Amino acid sequence: MSTTKLLLTLSLMTAFAYVSLVGLMYLAQRVLLYPGASATLAPEHANWGENVSISTPDGETLHGLYSQGESGKPSVLFFLGNADRVGNYGFLAQPLAARGIGLLAISYRGYPGSTGSPSEHGLLTDGIAAFDWLSLRCECEIVVLGQSLGSGVAVNTAGQRPAVAVILVSAYLSVLSLAQTHYPFVPVALLLKDPFRSDLKIAKVRQPKLFIHGRHDEIIPLYSGEALYRTAPEPKQMLIYKSSGHNDVWDDRMVNDVIRFLEARNRDAT
């Protein structure tokens, strides 16, 4: 085989491999973005609070865990990260309950106990449905808390519903920008189905905001959270945990910081 034919063959093989890889990533992108999705049933016995069901306007049913707060106290609406479970947050529900603060954590569509399949449009619909359900159930002030992927759901919800405050943990400018960072060799902007453009929605979130981020976060780098923070309107504050990454950001310090923010806002409101 001549050198020219060899180079042409190698070029074609490389191109084929690249197109195959990109095609595979395109087809599998929602598996990668929503690794916690599962058709399993919700546990019969709640780890904390009570099992609740929330209907969405497009016909899905969401599983959630709910701990009702005391009269006159706010409730937290929690949107989890993409691989998390609602049952994992007893450590948060208990200290909130000790102060009379309620907590609702939802399992997105396609996640354990919930019907449907996850997508950006679906998760944003779930967020609005959960807010509306909670506002009717408790008739209380609602603070929206979103972590990681859930920060995008929280931003969208707070921009469309009268949350009194917002807490964003490990937030991102957009899933699009993160994907472009992690996969620079792929034309992400052309292929991504669920861009979660918090950067385009944060301007509507004029409630008091608390941003929390780990300095060593390798999944959602600190610079992405800082960029969203700079874009966000006042009032806002940001806490950076110098020794934390992405999956170890929750500890007693963070629980206390969240409670301090909630109680300070509640005092200001009264």
Side-chain angles (χ1 to χ4, degrees):
M1 182 180 294
S2 68
T3 301
T4 301
K5 288 184 177 180
L6 177 60
L7 291 174
L8 178 60
T9 300
L10 291 175
S11 297
L12 290 174
M13 290 176 63
T14 301
F16 177 77
Y18 174 76
V19 171
S20 298
L21 175 61
V22 171
L24 179 62
M25 293 181 68
Y26 174 77
L27 293 174
Q29 62 179 280
R30 282 184 170 153
V31 175
L32 297 172
L33 185 56
Y34 309 109
S38 170
T40 58
L41 299 176
E44 183 176 349
H45 301 289
N47 293 348
W48 57 268
E50 62 172 312
N51 287 312
V52 297
S53 294
I54 299 171
S55 297
T56 69
D58 58 346
E60 304 298 350
T61 301
L62 309 179
H63 167 65
L65 289 182
Y66 176 52
S67 173
Q68 185 165 347
E70 297 175 2
S71 177
K73 296 293 184 71
S75 285
V76 175
L77 174 55
F78 189 13
F79 300 123
L80 282 65
N82 66 349
D84 216 340
R85 295 287 186 270
V86 294
N88 293 339
Y89 287 87
F91 72 87
L92 176 61
Q94 292 170 3
L96 290 180
R99 290 161 175 82
I101 301 171
L103 176 65
L104 170 64
I106 67 163
S107 188
Y108 304 122
R109 62 183 62 204
Y111 279 65
S114 299
T115 63
S117 300
S119 66
E120 178 180 2
H121 176 75
L123 266 65
L124 299 187
T125 301
D126 295 345
I128 298 296
F131 188 99
D132 292 345
W133 182 92
L134 183 57
S135 64
L136 291 173
R137 179 70 178 263
C138 74
E139 297 183 352
C140 57
E141 293 186 330
I142 298 174
V143 176
V144 174
L145 167 58
Q147 180 175 2
S148 190
L149 180 69
S151 68
V153 183
V155 167
N156 182 76
T157 302
Q160 298 190 43
R161 290 295 187 269
V164 296
V166 184
I167 302 172
L168 300 175
V169 180
S170 306
Y172 47 78
L173 198 61
S174 67
V175 167
L176 171 63
S177 63
L178 290 176
Q180 289 171 326
T181 298
H182 290 299
Y183 306 106
F185 54 89
V186 175
V188 171
L190 298 176
L191 303 176
L192 189 63
K193 297 176 181 178
D194 302 331
F196 282 94
R197 296 294 303 270
S198 291
D199 55 333
L200 301 181
K201 298 181 178 181
I202 194 68
K204 292 183 178 180
V205 183
R206 300 193 172 277
Q207 302 94 325
K209 292 168 287 296
L210 173 63
F211 289 72
I212 298 175
H213 217 111
R215 183 172 296 281
H216 301 291
D217 193 325
E218 295 181 350
I219 296 176
I220 301 177
L222 175 59
Y223 66 76
S224 187
E226 288 180 319
L228 185 67
Y229 174 78
R230 289 192 298 270
T231 304
E234 297 284 354
K236 59 186 177 180
Q237 59 178 296
M238 187 168 195
L239 300 177
I240 299 173
Y241 296 161
K242 295 182 180 179
S243 60
S244 298
H246 190 79
N247 294 319
D248 62 351
V249 68
W250 278 105
D251 56 18
D252 290 341
R253 169 189 55 181
M254 181 169 153
V255 171
N256 290 333
D257 285 336
V258 167
I259 290 174
R260 191 175 300 113
F261 176 77
L262 293 172
E263 293 185 333
R265 199 227 65 81
N266 205 42
R267 285 195 300 270
D268 293 342
T270 57

